Amino acid sequence: MSVGQIAAIIAAAAFVILVLLLAVPLLKLGRTLDEATIAIRKAHEGSAPLLDDAQVTLTTVNTQLERVDGVTASAQAVAANTRALSSLFTATLGGPLVRVAALSYGLRKASQNRKLKNAAPSKRSNGKRSSRG
C-alpha cells in the first residue's frame, strides 16, 4: 500500500464519519417536518368546521341586520309622520289655542283682581269698626 492509498482510505473514512454525523440531524429534521405536516393537516381539518360555522353566523347576522334596517326605516317613517302631524297641529290649532289660553288667563286674572278689590274694602271697614268699638 502506498501513501496515496492510505490517504485515500483515511479520507474515505473521514467522509463516512462526516456523513454519519450529518445523517442524525437530517433524520431529526425529517421527523420534525413530518410532525409539522401532520399538525398543519389537523389544523386544516379542524378549521374547516369553524369556518363553516363562521359563515353560518355571518349569514344569520346579515339577516338580522336587514331586519333591523327595516325596523329603523319604519321608525324613521313614524318619526317623520309625527313631525309632520305636530307641524300641522301647530299650524292649524296652535295659534288659536294660544289665543284662547291667553284669553282664559287674562279673564282669570281679571276675575281674581275683581274679587280682591271687592273683598278689600269690607275688610278695611270691619277693621275700622272693631278699632272704634
Side-chain angles (χ1 to χ4, degrees):
M1 258 198 206
S2 71
V3 176
Q5 290 175 342
I6 294 174
I9 291 174
I10 293 174
F15 185 73
V16 169
I17 292 172
L18 180 65
V19 168
L20 289 176
L21 289 175
L22 290 177
V24 173
L26 287 175
L27 290 174
K28 288 183 179 180
L29 180 63
R31 288 185 197 145
T32 303
L33 289 175
D34 289 341
E35 291 295 324
T37 304
I38 292 170
I40 291 171
R41 194 173 296 139
K42 286 182 181 178
H44 177 67
E45 290 171 359
S47 66
L50 290 175
L51 293 175
D52 291 340
D53 290 344
Q55 182 65 33
V56 169
T57 302
L58 287 175
T59 303
T60 305
V61 167
N62 284 336
T63 304
Q64 294 299 323
L65 285 176
E66 288 173 4
R67 289 181 184 166
V68 168
D69 285 343
V71 170
T72 304
S74 297
Q76 287 176 344
V78 167
N81 290 340
T82 304
R83 227 177 295 122
L85 184 62
S86 174
S87 297
L88 178 66
F89 178 77
T90 302
T92 56
L93 298 176
L97 282 178
V98 168
R99 289 182 188 137
V100 168
L103 178 66
S104 68
Y105 178 76
L107 290 175
R108 188 171 50 234
K109 278 297 205 181
S111 173
Q112 288 174 354
N113 287 340
R114 180 175 279 175
K115 286 180 184 178
L116 287 175
K117 284 182 181 179
N118 289 340
S122 63
K123 286 184 180 178
R124 287 182 188 167
S125 63
N126 285 342
K128 290 180 181 178
R129 287 181 192 161
S130 61
S131 63
R132 288 182 188 170

